[in-house]
Amino acid sequence: MKEAVIAHLRENRDQYVEELKDFLKLPSISADSAHHEDVRETAVWLKAALTSAGMDKVEVIETDKHPLVYAEWLRAGEEAETILIYGHYDVQPVDPLDLWETPPFEPSIRDGKLYARGASDDKGQTLMHIKAVQAMLEVEGKLPFNVKFLIEGEEEIGSPSLDAFVESEKEKLAADVLIISDTPMLSAGRPAICTGLRGIAALQIDVRGTKGDLHSGLYGGAVQNALHALVQLLASFRDEQGRIQVAGFYDGIEALPEAEKDSLAALGSGDEEMKEETGVRELFGEAGYTSRERTWTRPTLELNGVYGGFQGEGVKTVIPATAHAKLTCRLVPGQDPTDIFEKIEAHIAAHTPPGVTITTERHDSGKPFAAPVTDRAFQAAAQAYADVYNTEVAYTRMGGSIPVVETFDAALGVPIVLMGFGLPSENFHAPNEHFHLDNFDKGLETIVAFWAHYAQKG
């Protein structure tokens, strides 16, 4: 089966790329209410794509915000195993727009890379699974397993509707293995299976001083400046070496298993690659750890935005009444986002400068995840990568977060295989996001190879 299906994939490759372009033209920005209808239109587009692929049942399921798309093909029978495939169709905002070389929702191919918002995260990788299943059905007329798809439109805003859905629909989502392609490979030509994800805790900080902006000459030196107060507070979060100063922040962090330590060490520090990717002359972070260790296995507290006061051209001599900051923490096994929220809020209360009041608002949260790799699904994925990329797969963790993974783990209790096809350098969440079409092609073949190896139970 595998060879015939791969031949079919190659014959239809250009058509698949055109369909991906159509998918990418839809501005499904879940965080922006102005794009609410665009997100819905994208869900409808996916329903049509899954129906065309041969799914027997396809639904657009309403939530309190953006819809889910569910599909199933269960004709392999009750005795057959079931593969559940998860992805997301929503994308990040595109700002700053002026840094895009081509418009973010007008897909453009340059140097073998497809540029558009969502190309790598996660529309390209999600569509690959749909097309792989479609090719298997078109060539064979059947699948060796039952298959279910669950594709959401809220991943980029923390999946607020998905936890409740997964908890309430365990029977609907019941499967023997869950496959997710929303993670990067180690590097070009070096595939990776991700065995762990950092969790997340996102917070808005709002500082209020005077009842309104004041003239800095008339009131300067007599009242607190909200921006100065905010800067003082923010400086208290980390020391000069980058170690987080929030009391209890590192409590309970689980040590890496020795086998994983050895595997991580074998991959090297990644420091030079990190410098090249980011364009910096020196790295910065928690002392005693390599860049891979810092981004995969250590927690963080990062400022994502700081704003307030006059920001126009020239000078305006005011004392700002308000100032604001957005921060996110990436969390590792042993940390809980609710506990981290409470500790940060206690730190803020203890370090609030005089003359201001500070309020906070909790946003995205998600627990960290780490998976054992003993199930045969991981071995099938490793062999599939080796077949197509002609190299041994690396087992890695990822610094980013997919909050629903931990939810799936707790609710469904099945092996979760994170087999991604993006590259760390593909600018997801940044201007000029792109997807290497070489990995689109090889990824399709790897997915088919995975199905073939997973079918070999012996």
Side-chain angles (χ1 to χ4, degrees):
M1 177 194 79
K2 185 172 70 171
E3 289 73 17
V5 175
I6 288 174
H8 186 79
L9 290 172
R10 292 174 179 174
E11 290 169 6
N12 290 277
R13 184 263 191 185
D14 290 346
Q15 176 60 34
Y16 298 158
V17 172
E18 289 305 310
E19 290 181 45
L20 176 55
K21 287 181 178 179
D22 290 339
F23 194 14
L24 294 169
K25 289 175 184 177
L26 300 167
S28 50
I29 304 172
S30 54
D32 188 343
S33 59
H35 288 279
H36 184 87
E37 289 305 314
D38 295 318
V39 177
R40 173 168 295 281
E41 182 183 351
T42 309
V44 173
W45 188 95
L46 264 177
K47 179 181 180 180
L50 286 158
T51 301
S52 178
M55 295 296 98
D56 288 334
K57 179 182 179 182
V58 186
E59 304 173 83
V60 173
I61 301 172
E62 299 301 328
T63 73
D64 289 339
K65 196 168 182 69
H66 299 306
L68 297 160
V69 182
Y70 173 82
E72 64 183 27
W73 186 95
L74 305 181
R75 282 188 268 169
E78 293 184 2
E79 299 303 315
E81 292 180 279
T82 299
I83 294 177
L84 173 63
I85 299 165
Y86 164 85
H88 67 91
Y89 66 85
D90 64 320
V91 301
Q92 282 278 322
V94 298
D95 56 303
L97 188 60
D98 61 308
L99 295 183
W100 286 81
E101 294 181 23
T102 51
F105 296 109
E106 295 179 18
S108 172
I109 296 176
R110 304 193 297 277
D111 299 322
K113 293 172 278 190
L114 177 57
Y115 286 81
R117 173 58 89 226
S120 181
D121 180 23
D122 181 40
K123 288 181 176 179
Q125 299 196 64
T126 296
L127 189 67
M128 286 160 55
H129 283 279
I130 298 172
K131 290 302 164 187
V133 169
Q134 179 176 339
M136 286 186 274
L137 284 171
E138 289 176 347
V139 170
E140 294 288 315
K142 61 182 181 180
L143 300 171
F145 307 107
N146 298 309
V147 60
K148 301 174 180 178
F149 283 89
L150 182 64
I151 307 172
E152 69 159 320
E154 297 180 357
E155 195 275 343
E156 299 293 6
I157 55 172
S159 303
S161 303
L162 200 54
D163 281 7
F165 179 81
V166 173
E167 287 291 338
S168 65
E169 298 290 349
K170 293 179 184 178
E171 185 174 345
K172 187 185 192 80
L173 300 175
D176 296 281
V177 63
L178 170 61
I179 305 298
I180 300 176
S181 294
D182 192 17
T183 52
M185 306 203 307
L186 183 64
S187 59
R190 186 72 194 279
I193 295 173
C194 181
T195 65
L197 299 164
R198 291 195 289 191
I200 190 170
L203 199 72
Q204 167 91 19
I205 300 173
D206 298 300
V207 179
R208 162 64 70 175
T210 56
K211 63 182 180 181
D213 289 355
L214 300 176
H215 190 292
S216 66
L218 296 178
Y219 296 96
V223 297
Q224 179 66 277
N225 181 311
L227 273 172
H228 280 292
L230 177 62
V231 169
Q232 182 179 331
L233 170 67
L234 299 181
S236 73
F237 281 127
R238 302 196 313 189
D239 67 16
E240 292 182 357
Q241 285 72 46
R243 186 167 176 85
I244 297 160
Q245 300 299 292
V246 174
F249 188 86
Y250 295 98
D251 291 354
I253 292 176
E254 298 172 7
L256 281 181
E258 287 301 320
E260 190 166 358
K261 280 185 181 179
D262 294 342
S263 176
L264 181 58
L267 296 175
S269 71
D271 288 358
E272 293 307 314
E273 295 94 327
M274 182 70 74
K275 290 178 186 177
E276 184 175 350
E277 285 177 15
T278 59
V280 299
R281 288 180 292 181
E282 59 182 327
L283 301 175
F284 173 82
E286 191 180 0
Y289 297 94
T290 67
S291 59
R292 282 204 173 109
E293 289 170 330
R294 290 171 184 156
T295 55
W296 292 356
T297 71
R298 298 299 295 169
T300 66
L301 186 154
E302 297 287 353
L303 297 176
N304 308 124
V306 179
Y307 55 101
F310 176 67
Q311 299 177 49
E313 184 176 355
V315 175
K316 185 179 182 183
T317 54
V318 296
I319 297 172
T322 63
H324 314 272
K326 298 176 185 290
L327 64 83
T328 50
C329 298
R330 299 292 177 166
L331 311 178
V332 297
Q335 292 180 303
D336 179 83
T338 299
D339 178 63
I340 293 299
F341 278 134
E342 292 172 354
K343 288 173 176 173
I344 292 173
E345 288 161 354
H347 180 94
I348 291 171
H351 291 79
T352 297
V356 296
T357 58
I358 298 180
T359 57
T360 61
E361 182 180 357
R362 300 179 185 184
H363 289 284
D364 297 359
S365 68
K367 294 181 179 179
F369 167 78
V373 295
T374 53
D375 189 87
R376 86 173 200 279
F378 289 91
Q379 314 312 316
Q383 186 58 57
Y385 274 124
D387 287 353
V388 177
Y389 285 89
N390 296 310
T391 188
E392 184 179 350
V393 73
Y395 289 93
T396 67
R397 291 196 181 194
M398 190 178 83
S401 307
I402 310 176
V404 75
V405 172
E406 196 277 336
T407 300
F408 280 126
D409 184 46
L412 304 183
V414 300
I416 301 175
V417 184
L418 299 166
M419 49 188 304
F421 300 96
L423 292 178
S425 59
E426 287 179 334
N427 287 10
F428 33 84
H429 292 209
N432 301 309
E433 179 180 351
H434 56 277
F435 191 27
H436 285 69
L437 290 176
D438 179 61
N439 286 326
F440 179 78
D441 300 337
K442 289 180 177 177
L444 285 165
E445 297 184 14
T446 301
I447 293 166
V448 171
F450 166 77
W451 281 64
H453 285 295
Y454 190 60
Q456 298 171 2
K457 296 184 181 181

